[in-house]
Amino acid sequence: MTAFAEAASPHVMNTYGRLPIALERGQGVRVWDVNGKQYLDALGGIAVNTLGHNHPRLVPALQEQIAKLIHSSNYYHVPLQEQLAAQLVERSGMTNVFFCNSGLEANEAALKLARKFGHDKGIEKPVVVVYEKAFHGRSIATLSATGNPKVQAGFGPLVEGFIRVPMNDIEAIRKATEGNPNVVAVFFETIQGEGGVNPMRIDYLQQLRKLCDERDWLMMIDEVQCGMGRTGKWFAHQWAGIVPDVMPLAKGLGSGVPIGAVVAGPKAANIFAPGNHGTTFGGNPLAMRAGVETIRIMEDDGLLENAAKVGAHLKAALERELGSLPGVKEIRGQGLMLGIELTKPCGALMGRAVDAGLLLSVTADTVIRLVPSLILTEAEADEIVALLVPLVKALLAE
Ligand SMILES: Cc1ncc(COP(=O)(O)O)c(C=O)c1O
């Protein structure tokens, strides 16, 4: 049986409990390890490989870009930044974009925007409302915003200026912020990813939008994991018919090429001036090309519709096969971001799934998370179910 590798690598820093396989190549939603064993990939690089592996349009486009220009500098105009920004603005209903390289960087930029928004209004100690079970990254500020004591342990003192509230409870946020003139923003994931695939209710999102407008707070939605078509709309909050003021993106935006972006609406688009924020690599031509082509291909191939359709098919099959088992608490999520919460810890399933030829993850101890590429077909979804169901039943029988 596959177990977590006992010995850490001698030279790579020991930050992950890695499974003892190494992947060498991929095609579509399948990957092969260095020994030639094949896996069905229901993890997609943790919600990153939007177009699957070795996509026939993405790969030549990136090869062409590499031969032309990989990196220039933000000292100069980067036309591909203009192109990708225009695509994101059009799809989000927002107005301006800052490009960086990862989710935490996008969230750091959002937090800086919130603080400067406050300072510009004369608030010297701005406060941002964040959520229980949230995950926003591993930098000092983003881990301070994260609602998971395990992520924070050993890294104090944490950054100040956060108030934490529970999800889906409008009275709780009203109460927590009552009479506090320093609040400048509310920061959350539409569907919490690392926290266990926990969706915010549509009516709560709409109430929050109203509250932000009433109080002149920035609504900042971390769509790093749930965005970029995964739920069947470009951005998960669009199911609630709202538009945020600030929206960090990363993961699926580049189909595997590292990229991050902060999309801003009119209330936040002009907060930063030259010198306020920057990054050497952010917005480089290679990453921008990956984003531009990803969005084009998603649109040409109807991948939003596919995510909604195949996601609904997968969820229905999981509910049919697992929903009535006493050890299965809930099957939740939307599109191709699904979580199966069990009544007991299930971390062991990651290794057992690898043995069975399936890649998935377990988050928040008891939640099996499926975030495959958006090219997944119904037949492949059925294969995931066929591989996963016996593993879950066996675990629950132990
Ligand atoms: C919602 C959310 N925000 C931020 C991050 C951090 O992104 P990165 O790992 O690219 O820094 C993650 C990563 O899992 C995430 O799920």
Side-chain angles (χ1 to χ4, degrees):
M1 186 199 285
T2 305
F4 282 99
E6 276 165 29
S9 155
H11 303 302
V12 175
M13 224 183 254
N14 187 22
T15 55
Y16 282 88
R18 295 175 197 270
L19 290 161
I21 60 167
L23 302 173
E24 190 173 57
R25 68 190 175 89
Q27 185 63 50
V29 295
R30 295 181 203 277
V31 286
W32 286 263
D33 71 17
V34 290
N35 298 317
K37 180 173 171 178
Q38 182 184 305
Y39 305 85
L40 182 57
D41 185 1
L43 183 61
I46 324 182
V48 166
N49 297 311
T50 304
L51 304 176
H53 303 279
N54 194 21
H55 190 281
R57 275 181 65 190
L58 181 68
V59 171
L62 294 180
Q63 283 168 334
E64 185 209 45
Q65 187 60 48
I66 286 170
K68 256 192 192 161
L69 193 64
I70 296 174
H71 176 81
S72 52
S73 162
N74 284 310
Y75 284 171
Y76 318 111
H77 286 278
V78 180
L80 280 161
Q81 285 187 16
E82 302 298 333
Q83 270 189 50
L84 182 55
Q87 287 173 317
L88 291 172
V89 160
E90 189 189 321
R91 284 158 186 79
S92 64
M94 298 165 80
T95 60
N96 294 77
V97 187
F98 171 81
F99 290 108
C100 51
N101 312 286
S102 68
L104 83 78
E105 277 182 62
N107 286 338
E108 281 279 343
L111 291 169
K112 282 181 70 176
L113 276 174
R115 285 194 166 187
K116 182 127 192 321
F117 175 71
H119 282 272
D120 289 350
K121 290 203 288 185
I123 298 173
E124 281 178 17
K125 286 188 169 272
V127 167
V128 175
V129 179
V130 292
Y131 283 78
E132 291 171 3
K133 297 188 188 171
F135 184 84
H136 296 297
R138 303 277 191 162
S139 66
I140 295 290
T142 59
L143 77 81
S144 302
T146 288
N148 179 347
K150 273 195 213 160
V151 171
Q152 296 168 336
F155 297 105
L158 300 180
V159 170
E160 60 183 304
F162 295 107
I163 292 178
R164 197 170 302 284
V165 298
M167 270 179 111
N168 291 327
D169 183 345
I170 201 77
E171 281 318 307
I173 183 170
R174 281 184 189 281
K175 212 167 149 210
T177 56
E178 205 170 80
N180 187 338
N182 294 329
V183 176
V184 291
V186 182
F187 184 37
F188 59 91
E189 301 148 86
T190 314
I191 304 177
Q192 291 183 337
E194 304 305 302
V197 190
N198 307 313
M200 285 215 173
R201 282 199 325 268
I202 283 186
D203 64 303
Y204 179 76
L205 289 165
Q206 292 164 343
Q207 286 169 327
L208 256 191
R209 179 66 270 182
K210 255 177 135 172
L211 193 65
C212 288
D213 291 341
E214 278 166 27
R215 308 271 175 99
D216 195 30
W217 298 341
L218 294 177
M219 177 183 246
M220 309 206 301
I221 310 189
D222 177 349
E223 292 256 354
V224 164
Q225 187 162 155
C226 59
M228 290 313 298
R230 181 152 294 282
T231 65
K233 289 204 186 273
W234 282 106
F235 309 108
H237 65 263
Q238 290 174 330
W239 289 101
I242 57 166
V243 182
D245 301 304
V246 178
M247 176 173 65
L249 299 172
K251 286 197 183 271
L253 177 55
S255 279
V257 176
I259 185 170
V262 186
V263 190
K267 208 164 157 180
N270 298 308
I271 294 173
F272 283 159
N276 284 152
H277 198 53
T279 152
T280 298
F281 291 121
N284 69 78
L286 177 61
M288 295 300 99
R289 185 72 187 268
V292 165
E293 297 295 340
T294 296
I295 290 176
R296 264 193 205 141
I297 295 167
M298 287 175 72
E299 207 136 66
D300 291 350
D301 292 357
L303 293 188
L304 266 61
E305 296 77 10
N306 191 66
K309 183 176 85 120
V310 178
H313 176 89
L314 178 57
K315 195 175 180 195
L318 292 168
E319 264 159 6
R320 196 172 53 240
E321 298 290 330
L322 297 173
S324 59
L325 298 182
V328 176
K329 208 164 158 190
E330 192 180 20
I331 297 167
R332 56 180 179 253
Q334 192 162 7
L336 289 171
M337 181 169 183
L338 296 176
I340 306 160
E341 183 172 2
L342 306 184
T343 53
K344 67 184 203 185
C346 55
L349 279 181
M350 280 183 70
R352 295 181 193 181
V354 159
D355 288 341
L358 177 66
L359 303 185
L360 50 74
S361 84
V362 168
T363 184
D365 288 337
T366 55
V367 182
I368 303 162
R369 174 177 47 175
L370 304 175
V371 280
S373 301
L374 307 192
I375 59 166
L376 192 79
T377 64
E378 288 187 353
E380 288 158 347
D382 291 340
E383 273 185 69
I384 293 175
V385 176
L387 289 167
L388 179 60
V389 166
L391 299 175
V392 175
K393 286 184 174 167
L395 182 98
L396 292 176
E398 283 167 13

